[in-house]
């Protein structure tokens, strides 16, 4: 089946259930206008993440990989009153665009974008006792996904929901002989996840306006 069909159905769902308000429309426009890669989660994936996060009634959310803050806004809107979201971003330009988008969405008080390599920021977040987090969204560079997941576990408590984007990659993860570093990183993460007995997890495939991919859903036992 063509991506056209999946895209059309996604548009239909978006119109009914995942409408963007002015802040989300303007965030998407700022991402394009400022030349950021257009790899944000899709509209309906944003709504999906928002619903999942809301189920946890979160006071603390951690995001790894901010880009222009599009997913940050969907997740930030799931915070309970007084809740805080920390989002990690290595690229100063991405972070600048994100901060403006987040401010326009009225989330400047509740969302902090931290600039730096997530692999350096995560130990600091641990030592600052900023956790444990109710929801953690992993969506940065794919090579260290297993490392991000180990840190996510360190920053979790029983019931923490860990969501991991881009874990199917058009089925490339099935290729055991791939030399694609990103795919290898995802494969390593999936193996680790499948062997981690302290969590309950699965992967759900996604189609729609983005290409065929998948999201791992993990609950800490
Ligand atoms: N979550 C965003 C998309 C994130 S794209 C959304 O759906 O709206 C991945 C982001 O991770 C990019 O902005 C990239 O600069 C950032 N990134 C890449 N390597 C990183 C690292 N080591 N630490 C922190 N961020 C990183
Ligand atoms: C890429 C990264 C993402 O987080 C995503 O959702 C889609 C694509 C990428 O690096 O190509
Ligand atoms: Mg992604």
């Amino acid at each position: 089946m063509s991506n056209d069909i999946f895209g059309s159905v996604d548009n239909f769902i978006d119109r009914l259930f995942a409408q963007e308000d002015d802040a989300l429309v303007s965030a998407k426009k700022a991402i394009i206008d400022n030349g950021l890669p257009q790899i944000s989660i899709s509209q309906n994936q944003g709504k999906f993440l928002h619903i999942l996060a809301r189920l946890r009634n979160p006071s603390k959310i951690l995001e790894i990989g901010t880009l222009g803050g599009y997913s940050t806004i969907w997740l930030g809107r799931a915070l309970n009153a007084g809740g805080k979201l920390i989002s990690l971003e290595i690229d100063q330009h991405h972070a600048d665009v994100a901060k403006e988008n987040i401010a326009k969405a009225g989330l400047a008080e509740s969302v902090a974008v931290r600039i730096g390599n997530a692999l350096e920021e995560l130990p600091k977040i641990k030592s600052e006792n900023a956790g444990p987090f109710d929801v953690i969204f992993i969506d940065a560079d794919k090579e260290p996904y297993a490392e991000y997941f180990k840190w996510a576990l360190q920053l979790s408590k029983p019931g923490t929901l860990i969501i991991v984007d881009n874990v199917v990659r058009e089925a490339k993860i099935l290729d055991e002989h791939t030399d694609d570093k990103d795919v290898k990183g995802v494969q390593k993460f999936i193996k680790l996840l499948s062997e981690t007995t302290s969590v309950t997890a699965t992967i759900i495939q996604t189609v729609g306006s983005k290409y065929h991919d998948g999201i791992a859903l993990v609950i800490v036992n």
Side-chain angles (χ1 to χ4, degrees):
M1 261 196 273
S2 76
N3 281 337
D4 261 14
I5 288 174
F6 298 137
S8 301
V9 174
D10 231 18
N11 290 338
F12 172 79
I13 296 168
D14 288 348
R15 277 199 302 278
L16 292 175
F17 298 105
Q19 304 94 331
E20 290 172 332
D21 64 356
D22 290 348
L24 284 164
V25 170
S26 121
K28 209 174 239 178
K29 186 173 181 304
I31 286 166
I32 297 168
D33 292 351
N34 286 284
L36 271 54
Q38 288 175 57
I39 53 174
S40 310
I41 51 164
S42 73
Q43 226 169 298
N44 192 33
Q45 284 168 6
K47 183 70 177 282
F48 180 57
L49 256 56
H50 174 84
I51 291 171
L52 287 178
R54 278 263 297 276
L55 288 168
R56 308 285 338 131
N57 185 28
S59 311
K60 292 184 183 188
I61 301 179
L62 174 66
E63 175 176 69
I64 309 177
T66 318
L67 190 63
Y70 185 81
S71 56
T72 320
I73 294 171
W74 281 106
L75 285 170
R77 288 177 169 170
L79 285 167
N80 65 24
K84 299 279 184 209
L85 185 156
I86 298 175
S87 187
L88 307 181
E89 175 54 56
I90 198 168
D91 185 297
Q92 178 75 54
H93 179 52
H94 294 181
D96 289 343
V97 172
K99 281 181 186 173
E100 196 165 327
N101 288 337
I102 288 160
K104 277 190 187 156
L107 294 168
E109 292 295 306
S110 49
V111 173
V113 178
R114 282 174 68 143
I115 298 151
N117 186 339
L119 286 174
E120 288 166 19
E121 294 305 313
L122 288 162
K124 289 185 208 162
I125 287 168
K126 173 81 180 161
S127 59
E128 285 164 18
N129 283 317
F133 295 88
D134 305 295
V135 177
I136 301 177
F137 180 46
I138 301 178
D139 191 24
D141 49 330
K142 313 306 166 195
E143 237 185 301
Y145 255 29
E147 300 308 310
Y148 294 150
F149 178 63
K150 285 181 205 165
W151 277 110
L153 291 176
Q154 290 278 315
L155 294 164
S156 290
K157 61 185 176 186
T160 294
L161 170 65
I162 304 173
I163 306 166
V164 188
D165 197 24
N166 310 118
V167 298
V168 171
R169 317 239 62 170
E170 297 173 296
K172 287 179 192 145
I173 51 149
L174 299 181
D175 179 1
E176 288 166 23
H177 307 293
T178 184
D179 46 23
D180 181 323
K181 289 195 177 83
D182 294 345
V183 175
K184 281 184 166 175
V186 173
Q187 288 170 328
K188 195 174 159 204
F189 157 69
I190 291 174
K191 181 167 189 294
L192 173 65
L193 178 62
S194 71
E195 291 165 354
T196 304
T197 54
S198 59
V199 303
T200 303
T202 195
I203 291 171
I204 185 127
Q205 299 185 69
T206 55
V207 293
S209 48
K210 288 188 89 173
Y211 50 77
H212 173 218
D213 213 323
I215 297 176
L217 300 174
V218 185
I219 288 276
V220 176
N221 298 332

PDB file of all heavy atoms in Angstrom, residues 165-189:
ATOM      1  N   ASP A 165      11.234   6.798  20.170  1.00  0.00           N
ATOM      2  CA  ASP A 165      10.813   7.015  18.778  1.00  0.00           C
ATOM      3  C   ASP A 165      11.761   6.326  17.789  1.00  0.00           C
ATOM      4  O   ASP A 165      12.925   6.056  18.107  1.00  0.00           O
ATOM      5  CB  ASP A 165      10.779   8.523  18.495  1.00  0.00           C
ATOM      6  CG  ASP A 165       9.979   8.878  17.234  1.00  0.00           C
ATOM      7  OD1 ASP A 165       9.106   8.088  16.843  1.00  0.00           O
ATOM      8  OD2 ASP A 165      10.232   9.960  16.659  1.00  0.00           O
ATOM      9  N   ASN A 166      11.253   6.044  16.626  1.00  0.00           N
ATOM     10  CA  ASN A 166      12.056   5.614  15.453  1.00  0.00           C
ATOM     11  C   ASN A 166      12.755   4.278  15.643  1.00  0.00           C
ATOM     12  O   ASN A 166      13.933   4.129  15.304  1.00  0.00           O
ATOM     13  CB  ASN A 166      13.099   6.690  15.096  1.00  0.00           C
ATOM     14  CG  ASN A 166      12.497   8.076  14.992  1.00  0.00           C
ATOM     15  OD1 ASN A 166      12.864   8.970  15.743  1.00  0.00           O
ATOM     16  ND2 ASN A 166      11.562   8.240  14.098  1.00  0.00           N
ATOM     17  N   VAL A 167      12.043   3.293  16.133  1.00  0.00           N
ATOM     18  CA  VAL A 167      12.675   2.008  16.414  1.00  0.00           C
ATOM     19  C   VAL A 167      12.380   0.929  15.361  1.00  0.00           C
ATOM     20  O   VAL A 167      12.718  -0.222  15.561  1.00  0.00           O
ATOM     21  CB  VAL A 167      12.322   1.495  17.834  1.00  0.00           C
ATOM     22  CG1 VAL A 167      12.848   2.459  18.889  1.00  0.00           C
ATOM     23  CG2 VAL A 167      10.830   1.285  18.008  1.00  0.00           C
ATOM     24  N   VAL A 168      11.768   1.311  14.245  1.00  0.00           N
ATOM     25  CA  VAL A 168      11.522   0.326  13.178  1.00  0.00           C
ATOM     26  C   VAL A 168      12.227   0.723  11.872  1.00  0.00           C
ATOM     27  O   VAL A 168      12.764  -0.132  11.162  1.00  0.00           O
ATOM     28  CB  VAL A 168      10.006   0.107  12.949  1.00  0.00           C
ATOM     29  CG1 VAL A 168       9.745  -0.744  11.710  1.00  0.00           C
ATOM     30  CG2 VAL A 168       9.375  -0.572  14.173  1.00  0.00           C
ATOM     31  N   ARG A 169      12.263   2.033  11.595  1.00  0.00           N
ATOM     32  CA  ARG A 169      13.050   2.550  10.478  1.00  0.00           C
ATOM     33  C   ARG A 169      12.800   1.803   9.164  1.00  0.00           C
ATOM     34  O   ARG A 169      13.712   1.217   8.587  1.00  0.00           O
ATOM     35  CB  ARG A 169      14.541   2.541  10.829  1.00  0.00           C
ATOM     36  CG  ARG A 169      14.814   3.043  12.245  1.00  0.00           C
ATOM     37  CD  ARG A 169      15.703   4.207  12.304  1.00  0.00           C
ATOM     38  NE  ARG A 169      15.180   5.374  11.635  1.00  0.00           N
ATOM     39  CZ  ARG A 169      15.725   6.576  11.739  1.00  0.00           C
ATOM     40  NH1 ARG A 169      16.799   6.745  12.418  1.00  0.00           N
ATOM     41  NH2 ARG A 169      15.194   7.604  11.124  1.00  0.00           N
ATOM     42  N   GLU A 170      11.570   1.808   8.725  1.00  0.00           N
ATOM     43  CA  GLU A 170      11.182   1.144   7.473  1.00  0.00           C
ATOM     44  C   GLU A 170      11.655  -0.306   7.421  1.00  0.00           C
ATOM     45  O   GLU A 170      12.096  -0.784   6.382  1.00  0.00           O
ATOM     46  CB  GLU A 170      11.725   1.907   6.255  1.00  0.00           C
ATOM     47  CG  GLU A 170      11.149   3.299   6.134  1.00  0.00           C
ATOM     48  CD  GLU A 170      11.799   4.112   5.032  1.00  0.00           C
ATOM     49  OE1 GLU A 170      13.011   4.384   5.149  1.00  0.00           O
ATOM     50  OE2 GLU A 170      11.100   4.444   4.060  1.00  0.00           O
ATOM     51  N   ALA A 171      11.608  -0.970   8.561  1.00  0.00           N
ATOM     52  CA  ALA A 171      11.958  -2.399   8.698  1.00  0.00           C
ATOM     53  C   ALA A 171      13.461  -2.663   8.570  1.00  0.00           C
ATOM     54  O   ALA A 171      13.896  -3.814   8.596  1.00  0.00           O
ATOM     55  CB  ALA A 171      11.184  -3.266   7.704  1.00  0.00           C
ATOM     56  N   LYS A 172      14.260  -1.603   8.483  1.00  0.00           N
ATOM     57  CA  LYS A 172      15.722  -1.803   8.382  1.00  0.00           C
ATOM     58  C   LYS A 172      16.274  -2.542   9.604  1.00  0.00           C
ATOM     59  O   LYS A 172      17.325  -3.166   9.536  1.00  0.00           O
ATOM     60  CB  LYS A 172      16.438  -0.457   8.224  1.00  0.00           C
ATOM     61  CG  LYS A 172      16.242   0.157   6.852  1.00  0.00           C
ATOM     62  CD  LYS A 172      16.953   1.506   6.741  1.00  0.00           C
ATOM     63  CE  LYS A 172      16.507   2.229   5.476  1.00  0.00           C
ATOM     64  NZ  LYS A 172      16.434   3.678   5.675  1.00  0.00           N
ATOM     65  N   ILE A 173      15.573  -2.472  10.715  1.00  0.00           N
ATOM     66  CA  ILE A 173      16.029  -3.158  11.937  1.00  0.00           C
ATOM     67  C   ILE A 173      16.056  -4.676  11.783  1.00  0.00           C
ATOM     68  O   ILE A 173      16.675  -5.365  12.578  1.00  0.00           O
ATOM     69  CB  ILE A 173      15.151  -2.803  13.158  1.00  0.00           C
ATOM     70  CG1 ILE A 173      13.668  -3.011  12.816  1.00  0.00           C
ATOM     71  CG2 ILE A 173      15.430  -1.403  13.636  1.00  0.00           C
ATOM     72  CD1 ILE A 173      12.861  -3.416  14.002  1.00  0.00           C
ATOM     73  N   LEU A 174      15.386  -5.188  10.739  1.00  0.00           N
ATOM     74  CA  LEU A 174      15.397  -6.646  10.518  1.00  0.00           C
ATOM     75  C   LEU A 174      16.697  -7.111   9.873  1.00  0.00           C
ATOM     76  O   LEU A 174      17.010  -8.298   9.897  1.00  0.00           O
ATOM     77  CB  LEU A 174      14.217  -7.061   9.629  1.00  0.00           C
ATOM     78  CG  LEU A 174      12.810  -6.775  10.171  1.00  0.00           C
ATOM     79  CD1 LEU A 174      11.752  -7.259   9.183  1.00  0.00           C
ATOM     80  CD2 LEU A 174      12.604  -7.409  11.539  1.00  0.00           C
ATOM     81  N   ASP A 175      17.455  -6.177   9.303  1.00  0.00           N
ATOM     82  CA  ASP A 175      18.684  -6.520   8.578  1.00  0.00           C
ATOM     83  C   ASP A 175      19.847  -6.699   9.570  1.00  0.00           C
ATOM     84  O   ASP A 175      20.430  -5.729  10.050  1.00  0.00           O
ATOM     85  CB  ASP A 175      18.997  -5.425   7.557  1.00  0.00           C
ATOM     86  CG  ASP A 175      20.274  -5.712   6.787  1.00  0.00           C
ATOM     87  OD1 ASP A 175      20.910  -6.773   7.018  1.00  0.00           O
ATOM     88  OD2 ASP A 175      20.651  -4.867   5.956  1.00  0.00           O
ATOM     89  N   GLU A 176      20.191  -7.957   9.826  1.00  0.00           N
ATOM     90  CA  GLU A 176      21.238  -8.245  10.810  1.00  0.00           C
ATOM     91  C   GLU A 176      22.626  -7.841  10.318  1.00  0.00           C
ATOM     92  O   GLU A 176      23.567  -7.758  11.093  1.00  0.00           O
ATOM     93  CB  GLU A 176      21.238  -9.739  11.153  1.00  0.00           C
ATOM     94  CG  GLU A 176      20.040 -10.131  12.011  1.00  0.00           C
ATOM     95  CD  GLU A 176      19.832 -11.630  12.070  1.00  0.00           C
ATOM     96  OE1 GLU A 176      20.799 -12.388  11.837  1.00  0.00           O
ATOM     97  OE2 GLU A 176      18.679 -12.041  12.337  1.00  0.00           O
ATOM     98  N   HIS A 177      22.747  -7.628   9.006  1.00  0.00           N
ATOM     99  CA  HIS A 177      24.066  -7.307   8.434  1.00  0.00           C
ATOM    100  C   HIS A 177      24.183  -5.841   8.036  1.00  0.00           C
ATOM    101  O   HIS A 177      25.085  -5.480   7.301  1.00  0.00           O
ATOM    102  CB  HIS A 177      24.342  -8.213   7.238  1.00  0.00           C
ATOM    103  CG  HIS A 177      24.191  -9.672   7.561  1.00  0.00           C
ATOM    104  ND1 HIS A 177      25.044 -10.322   8.425  1.00  0.00           N
ATOM    105  CD2 HIS A 177      23.253 -10.579   7.189  1.00  0.00           C
ATOM    106  CE1 HIS A 177      24.656 -11.583   8.548  1.00  0.00           C
ATOM    107  NE2 HIS A 177      23.561 -11.765   7.818  1.00  0.00           N
ATOM    108  N   THR A 178      23.282  -5.023   8.531  1.00  0.00           N
ATOM    109  CA  THR A 178      23.306  -3.601   8.162  1.00  0.00           C
ATOM    110  C   THR A 178      24.613  -2.946   8.624  1.00  0.00           C
ATOM    111  O   THR A 178      25.183  -3.334   9.644  1.00  0.00           O
ATOM    112  CB  THR A 178      22.115  -2.852   8.791  1.00  0.00           C
ATOM    113  OG1 THR A 178      22.139  -1.501   8.333  1.00  0.00           O
ATOM    114  CG2 THR A 178      22.195  -2.847  10.312  1.00  0.00           C
ATOM    115  N   ASP A 179      25.097  -1.963   7.831  1.00  0.00           N
ATOM    116  CA  ASP A 179      26.231  -1.178   8.339  1.00  0.00           C
ATOM    117  C   ASP A 179      25.797   0.261   8.638  1.00  0.00           C
ATOM    118  O   ASP A 179      26.637   1.129   8.861  1.00  0.00           O
ATOM    119  CB  ASP A 179      27.440  -1.236   7.394  1.00  0.00           C
ATOM    120  CG  ASP A 179      27.053  -1.031   5.956  1.00  0.00           C
ATOM    121  OD1 ASP A 179      25.996  -0.426   5.726  1.00  0.00           O
ATOM    122  OD2 ASP A 179      27.812  -1.474   5.060  1.00  0.00           O
ATOM    123  N   ASP A 180      24.493   0.485   8.660  1.00  0.00           N
ATOM    124  CA  ASP A 180      23.930   1.793   9.015  1.00  0.00           C
ATOM    125  C   ASP A 180      24.051   1.982  10.535  1.00  0.00           C
ATOM    126  O   ASP A 180      23.474   1.234  11.321  1.00  0.00           O
ATOM    127  CB  ASP A 180      22.460   1.819   8.565  1.00  0.00           C
ATOM    128  CG  ASP A 180      21.771   3.150   8.850  1.00  0.00           C
ATOM    129  OD1 ASP A 180      22.061   3.764   9.906  1.00  0.00           O
ATOM    130  OD2 ASP A 180      20.943   3.561   8.022  1.00  0.00           O
ATOM    131  N   LYS A 181      24.838   2.984  10.942  1.00  0.00           N
ATOM    132  CA  LYS A 181      25.123   3.196  12.375  1.00  0.00           C
ATOM    133  C   LYS A 181      23.854   3.457  13.178  1.00  0.00           C
ATOM    134  O   LYS A 181      23.734   3.001  14.314  1.00  0.00           O
ATOM    135  CB  LYS A 181      26.071   4.381  12.550  1.00  0.00           C
ATOM    136  CG  LYS A 181      27.495   4.144  12.096  1.00  0.00           C
ATOM    137  CD  LYS A 181      28.389   5.254  12.671  1.00  0.00           C
ATOM    138  CE  LYS A 181      29.841   5.043  12.313  1.00  0.00           C
ATOM    139  NZ  LYS A 181      30.171   5.566  10.961  1.00  0.00           N
ATOM    140  N   ASP A 182      22.933   4.216  12.579  1.00  0.00           N
ATOM    141  CA  ASP A 182      21.682   4.527  13.281  1.00  0.00           C
ATOM    142  C   ASP A 182      20.877   3.255  13.517  1.00  0.00           C
ATOM    143  O   ASP A 182      20.374   3.012  14.614  1.00  0.00           O
ATOM    144  CB  ASP A 182      20.837   5.518  12.467  1.00  0.00           C
ATOM    145  CG  ASP A 182      21.502   6.876  12.363  1.00  0.00           C
ATOM    146  OD1 ASP A 182      22.441   7.138  13.137  1.00  0.00           O
ATOM    147  OD2 ASP A 182      21.076   7.677  11.505  1.00  0.00           O
ATOM    148  N   VAL A 183      20.773   2.440  12.463  1.00  0.00           N
ATOM    149  CA  VAL A 183      20.004   1.194  12.577  1.00  0.00           C
ATOM    150  C   VAL A 183      20.665   0.279  13.607  1.00  0.00           C
ATOM    151  O   VAL A 183      19.988  -0.335  14.440  1.00  0.00           O
ATOM    152  CB  VAL A 183      19.869   0.506  11.196  1.00  0.00           C
ATOM    153  CG1 VAL A 183      19.186  -0.844  11.335  1.00  0.00           C
ATOM    154  CG2 VAL A 183      19.105   1.401  10.226  1.00  0.00           C
ATOM    155  N   LYS A 184      22.008   0.211  13.569  1.00  0.00           N
ATOM    156  CA  LYS A 184      22.724  -0.607  14.558  1.00  0.00           C
ATOM    157  C   LYS A 184      22.437  -0.149  15.975  1.00  0.00           C
ATOM    158  O   LYS A 184      22.265  -0.972  16.887  1.00  0.00           O
ATOM    159  CB  LYS A 184      24.241  -0.545  14.302  1.00  0.00           C
ATOM    160  CG  LYS A 184      24.709  -1.442  13.180  1.00  0.00           C
ATOM    161  CD  LYS A 184      26.235  -1.359  13.089  1.00  0.00           C
ATOM    162  CE  LYS A 184      26.768  -2.484  12.234  1.00  0.00           C
ATOM    163  NZ  LYS A 184      28.207  -2.380  12.021  1.00  0.00           N
ATOM    164  N   GLY A 185      22.408   1.162  16.157  1.00  0.00           N
ATOM    165  CA  GLY A 185      22.113   1.717  17.482  1.00  0.00           C
ATOM    166  C   GLY A 185      20.725   1.310  17.950  1.00  0.00           C
ATOM    167  O   GLY A 185      20.538   0.946  19.120  1.00  0.00           O
ATOM    168  N   VAL A 186      19.771   1.354  17.035  1.00  0.00           N
ATOM    169  CA  VAL A 186      18.399   0.973  17.379  1.00  0.00           C
ATOM    170  C   VAL A 186      18.334  -0.531  17.676  1.00  0.00           C
ATOM    171  O   VAL A 186      17.687  -0.962  18.638  1.00  0.00           O
ATOM    172  CB  VAL A 186      17.417   1.370  16.252  1.00  0.00           C
ATOM    173  CG1 VAL A 186      16.025   0.810  16.537  1.00  0.00           C
ATOM    174  CG2 VAL A 186      17.351   2.883  16.105  1.00  0.00           C
ATOM    175  N   GLN A 187      19.040  -1.339  16.877  1.00  0.00           N
ATOM    176  CA  GLN A 187      19.052  -2.796  17.110  1.00  0.00           C
ATOM    177  C   GLN A 187      19.620  -3.127  18.493  1.00  0.00           C
ATOM    178  O   GLN A 187      19.106  -3.993  19.197  1.00  0.00           O
ATOM    179  CB  GLN A 187      19.874  -3.489  16.017  1.00  0.00           C
ATOM    180  CG  GLN A 187      19.174  -3.514  14.670  1.00  0.00           C
ATOM    181  CD  GLN A 187      20.090  -3.978  13.542  1.00  0.00           C
ATOM    182  OE1 GLN A 187      21.307  -3.723  13.580  1.00  0.00           O
ATOM    183  NE2 GLN A 187      19.525  -4.624  12.539  1.00  0.00           N
ATOM    184  N   LYS A 188      20.695  -2.429  18.847  1.00  0.00           N
ATOM    185  CA  LYS A 188      21.324  -2.656  20.158  1.00  0.00           C
ATOM    186  C   LYS A 188      20.332  -2.308  21.280  1.00  0.00           C
ATOM    187  O   LYS A 188      20.205  -3.032  22.269  1.00  0.00           O
ATOM    188  CB  LYS A 188      22.589  -1.780  20.245  1.00  0.00           C
ATOM    189  CG  LYS A 188      23.526  -2.144  21.364  1.00  0.00           C
ATOM    190  CD  LYS A 188      24.815  -1.315  21.252  1.00  0.00           C
ATOM    191  CE  LYS A 188      25.504  -1.281  22.601  1.00  0.00           C
ATOM    192  NZ  LYS A 188      26.383  -0.116  22.771  1.00  0.00           N
ATOM    193  N   PHE A 189      19.637  -1.190  21.079  1.00  0.00           N
ATOM    194  CA  PHE A 189      18.625  -0.786  22.068  1.00  0.00           C
ATOM    195  C   PHE A 189      17.520  -1.843  22.179  1.00  0.00           C
ATOM    196  O   PHE A 189      17.130  -2.227  23.285  1.00  0.00           O
ATOM    197  CB  PHE A 189      18.027   0.580  21.696  1.00  0.00           C
ATOM    198  CG  PHE A 189      16.665   0.796  22.296  1.00  0.00           C
ATOM    199  CD1 PHE A 189      16.520   0.969  23.665  1.00  0.00           C
ATOM    200  CD2 PHE A 189      15.527   0.776  21.500  1.00  0.00           C
ATOM    201  CE1 PHE A 189      15.261   1.133  24.234  1.00  0.00           C
ATOM    202  CE2 PHE A 189      14.263   0.927  22.060  1.00  0.00           C
ATOM    203  CZ  PHE A 189      14.131   1.104  23.427  1.00  0.00           C
TER     204      PHE A 189
END
